[in-house]
């Protein structure tokens, strides 16, 4: 019988020297984002995972964190603390608190945030043979320096904390499901947990990674702060498919090849106008295999989209941006729906939390792609149109106010 993870352990004891001068007088996880400490976002996320207990491992200026979060009752969660000398590295800090840890727990860093689906993490963990499974950012955009080599099944083949081996791809970002037996790998002296435990788990073939393409956000350095602020800034984004959602779908294996063939579906322009009025940003996500097959050029595609945008301007409406895949179905690209590549590109461009975005389309491939990216998805058809869906979304939002 699988054991439910009901404890999260947060590493939050370091000096945070890269965040000076803020950390001259404050612990790093108390850095304010949108008028609340970064650590509060992590605690709210843990609560959304339906985890009831949090253990925070403290060292540097612990009183400031403890006085703010206290016992966690404000968030309807139980928070306890372990305080060790600030000089302790993560290994000794974890080992000193082992008696407070459950047999399996979720281990997080206090300075990283990624909108992971915890149910997916748990399911992946149950399918593999891991003693420790962390979450890894794929890092295909070279957002940071990689420190991993990961097999297709998630088995970590190389963990290089110094990041000097060639052909590394991916970086661990925390959100690790840990079997408590792993703590036996920590020696008695002061040490870094990952540096001592992860290489040994690699040798045992017991270290796995759940890989995400959703960018993570950090307060680990000043270079990342502005992106992190942009990520947490409140915003509303909706992704819309094109053919069959906005305009009449051409016959199977045929394409819209010139502007006058783009014919709006009834109510589609009105739906976009309603979204604009409610301050939604609209991103258009569409496959265009006709480009690869020679049915139209990219120049002609842009003319078609210019026609679409000009029609919207006539009613004072607009679409914020357009993402398209020009590849054929057999090119195995990462952007063609049902793959989620275009969603991840938009996520990076606009610092989105895809778990708070909506995808609307008329094809199962739209829903599959949006679901893979972590979006809420709505399938429409001739009976339940785009306008119906938008009215429902706006109505639901107003009920919540």
């Amino acid at each position: 019988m699988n054991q439910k993870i009901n404890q999260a352990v947060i590493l939050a004891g370091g000096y945070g020297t890269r965040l000076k001068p803020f950390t001259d007088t404050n612990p790093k996880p108390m850095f304010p984002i949108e008028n609340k400490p970064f650590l509060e976002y992590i605690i709210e996320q843990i609560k959304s995972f339906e985890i009831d207990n949090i253990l925070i491992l403290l060292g540097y200026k612990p009183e400031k964190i403890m006085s703010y979060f206290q016992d966690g009752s404000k968030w309807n969660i139980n928070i306890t603390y372990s305080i060790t000398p600030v000089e302790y590295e993560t290994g000794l800090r974890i080992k000193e608190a082992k008696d407070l840890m459950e047999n399996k727990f979720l281990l997080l860093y206090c300075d990283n945030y990624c909108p992971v689906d915890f149910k997916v993490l748990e399911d992946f963990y149950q399918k593999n043979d891991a003693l420790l499974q962390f979450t890894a950012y794929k890092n295909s955009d070279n957002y940071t320096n990689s420190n991993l080599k990961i097999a297709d099944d998630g088995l970590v083949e190389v963990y290089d904390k110094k990041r000097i081996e060639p052909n590394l791809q991916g970086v661990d970002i925390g959100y690790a499901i840990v079997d408590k037996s792993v703590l036996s790998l920590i020696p008695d002296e002061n040490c870094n947990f990952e540096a001592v435990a992860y290489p040994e788990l690699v040798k045992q073939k017991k270290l796995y990674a759940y890989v995400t393409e959703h960018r993570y956000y950090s307060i680990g350095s000043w270079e990342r702060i502005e992106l992190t602020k942009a990520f947490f800034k409140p915003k509303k984004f909706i992704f819309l498919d094109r053919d069959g959602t906005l305009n009449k779908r051409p016959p199977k294996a045929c394409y819209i090849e010139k502007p006058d063939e783009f014919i709006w579906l009834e109510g589609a322009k009105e739906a976009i106008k309603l979204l604009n009025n409610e301050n939604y940003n609209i991103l258009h996500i569409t496959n265009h295999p006709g480009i690869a097959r020679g049915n139209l050029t990219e120049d002609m595609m842009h003319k078609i989209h210019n026609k679409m945008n000009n029609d919207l301007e006539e009613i004072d409406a607009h679409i914020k941006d357009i993402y398209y895949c020009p590849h054929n179905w057999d090119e195995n690209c990462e952007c063609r729906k049902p793959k989620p590549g275009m969603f991840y590109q938009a996520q990076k461009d606009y610092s989105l939390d895809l778990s708070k975005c909506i995808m609307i389309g008329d094809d199962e491939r739209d829903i599959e792609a949006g679901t893979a990216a972590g979006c809420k998805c709505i399938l429409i058809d001739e009976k339940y149109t785009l306008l119906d869906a938008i009215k429902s979304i706006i109505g639901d939002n107003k009920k919540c106010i």
Side-chain angles (χ1 to χ4, degrees):
M1 182 172 162
N2 295 331
Q3 178 185 347
K4 181 183 184 299
I5 306 297
N6 197 39
Q7 184 188 45
V9 177
I10 306 174
L11 287 163
Y15 284 107
T17 53
R18 287 186 295 170
L19 217 60
K20 285 178 170 287
F22 174 80
T23 50
D24 287 338
T25 54
N26 298 277
K28 176 172 60 176
M30 295 303 288
F31 188 87
I33 302 286
E34 290 291 316
N35 299 314
K36 65 182 182 182
F38 184 81
L39 183 57
E40 188 168 353
Y41 292 99
I42 296 174
I43 287 173
E44 290 171 345
Q45 184 183 38
I46 292 169
K47 179 63 182 176
S48 76
F49 293 164
E50 298 183 355
I51 291 175
D52 296 325
N53 300 290
I54 297 175
L55 170 63
I56 306 180
L57 308 187
L58 301 175
Y60 182 62
K61 298 190 178 298
E63 68 285 350
K64 293 207 171 184
I65 291 176
M66 295 173 68
S67 65
Y68 185 91
F69 292 101
Q70 298 183 31
D71 64 358
S73 57
K74 178 181 175 181
W75 297 270
N76 196 27
I77 200 166
N78 179 52
I79 298 178
T80 55
Y81 304 92
S82 171
I83 305 173
T84 48
V86 68
E87 295 81 12
Y88 279 16
E89 293 190 57
T90 54
L92 199 50
R93 205 178 301 282
I94 289 171
K95 189 162 187 173
E96 287 289 308
K98 67 179 181 179
D99 291 341
L100 302 174
M101 296 176 185
E102 298 183 3
N103 289 333
K104 293 186 188 295
F105 57 90
L106 181 69
L107 181 66
L108 302 98
Y109 301 129
C110 70
D111 55 359
N112 283 351
Y113 184 101
C114 186
V116 298
D117 186 327
F118 185 63
K119 180 65 167 62
V120 173
L121 293 188
E122 280 191 303
D123 289 346
F124 186 68
Y125 178 77
Q126 301 299 346
K127 291 176 183 176
N128 61 48
D129 192 30
L131 285 177
L132 190 150
Q133 172 193 288
F134 55 63
T135 300
Y137 178 57
K138 190 173 183 180
N139 202 33
S140 55
D141 59 345
N142 295 314
Y143 180 58
T144 187
N145 294 322
S146 292
N147 63 1
L148 304 169
K149 286 184 183 177
I150 306 169
D152 291 341
D153 65 353
L155 179 69
V156 178
E157 298 175 327
V158 174
Y159 174 80
D160 179 12
K161 188 170 180 63
K162 295 182 179 179
R163 311 185 187 208
I164 57 177
E165 285 206 27
N167 303 315
L168 296 172
Q169 185 66 66
V171 61
D172 66 297
I173 61 173
Y175 297 93
I177 297 176
V178 183
D179 187 296
K180 190 176 179 179
S181 64
V182 169
L183 305 191
S184 65
L185 299 175
I186 305 172
D188 291 334
E189 64 265 18
N190 201 9
C191 62
N192 179 276
F193 172 62
E194 298 91 339
V196 298
Y198 287 8
E200 182 58 35
L201 291 170
V202 168
K203 291 178 186 177
Q204 298 177 17
K205 298 187 183 300
K206 295 293 185 179
L207 184 65
Y208 279 73
Y210 174 80
V211 180
T212 180
E213 293 186 59
H214 197 302
R215 180 174 283 177
Y216 71 101
Y217 292 85
S218 173
I219 56 164
S221 67
W222 287 111
E223 291 77 14
R224 294 283 168 82
I225 292 293
E226 291 307 313
L227 276 177
T228 302
K229 287 180 178 178
F231 174 76
F232 283 110
K233 190 175 180 64
K235 58 181 83 72
K236 297 191 290 185
F237 274 78
I238 281 187
F239 295 98
L240 298 180
D241 173 49
R242 197 188 78 174
D243 295 349
T245 301
L246 300 181
N247 60 289
K248 293 184 179 180
R249 177 183 288 279
K252 190 174 182 179
C254 296
Y255 309 99
I256 305 295
E257 296 179 8
K258 49 189 177 180
D260 60 8
E261 294 177 358
F262 183 92
I263 301 172
W264 288 93
L265 287 169
E266 184 177 353
K269 288 191 287 185
E270 181 185 348
I272 291 174
K273 176 66 173 174
L274 285 174
L275 287 173
N276 291 157
N277 291 344
E278 295 295 322
N279 297 316
Y280 277 92
N281 297 281
I282 303 168
L283 301 180
H284 180 33
I285 300 280
T286 180
N287 290 342
H288 279 306
I291 295 173
R293 296 177 187 179
N295 294 79
L296 76 160
T297 64
E298 291 195 58
D299 181 64
M300 182 56 70
M301 181 205 66
H302 291 308
K303 289 179 179 178
I304 293 168
H305 288 158
N306 286 339
K307 190 264 185 190
M308 176 183 72
N309 288 326
N310 290 337
D311 290 346
L312 290 172
E313 285 181 7
E314 291 178 359
I315 61 168
D316 195 27
H318 66 277
I319 289 173
K320 186 174 185 68
D321 209 343
I322 297 173
Y323 292 83
Y324 66 93
C325 170
H327 305 110
N328 207 345
W329 65 271
D330 58 355
E331 293 186 56
N332 198 32
C333 67
E334 293 299 317
C335 52
R336 178 177 168 81
K337 293 177 292 182
K339 290 187 177 180
M342 288 187 284
F343 292 84
Y344 288 124
Q345 185 57 55
Q347 188 278 312
K348 295 172 178 64
D349 290 344
Y350 292 101
S351 297
L352 302 179
D353 181 341
L354 289 176
S355 69
K356 296 179 180 178
C357 297
I358 300 170
M359 170 63 192
I360 304 177
D362 72 312
D363 190 293
E364 289 294 342
R365 290 171 296 182
D366 301 323
I367 305 307
E368 187 177 341
T371 300
C375 299
K376 303 175 181 70
C377 297
I378 301 173
L379 182 66
I380 61 172
D381 55 27
E382 293 180 355
K383 294 182 179 178
Y384 187 71
T385 67
L386 176 63
L387 184 58
D388 295 328
I390 297 312
K391 286 181 176 178
S392 177
I393 291 168
I394 292 172
D396 289 345
N397 286 345
K398 289 182 176 178
K399 288 178 186 176
C400 294
I401 296 176

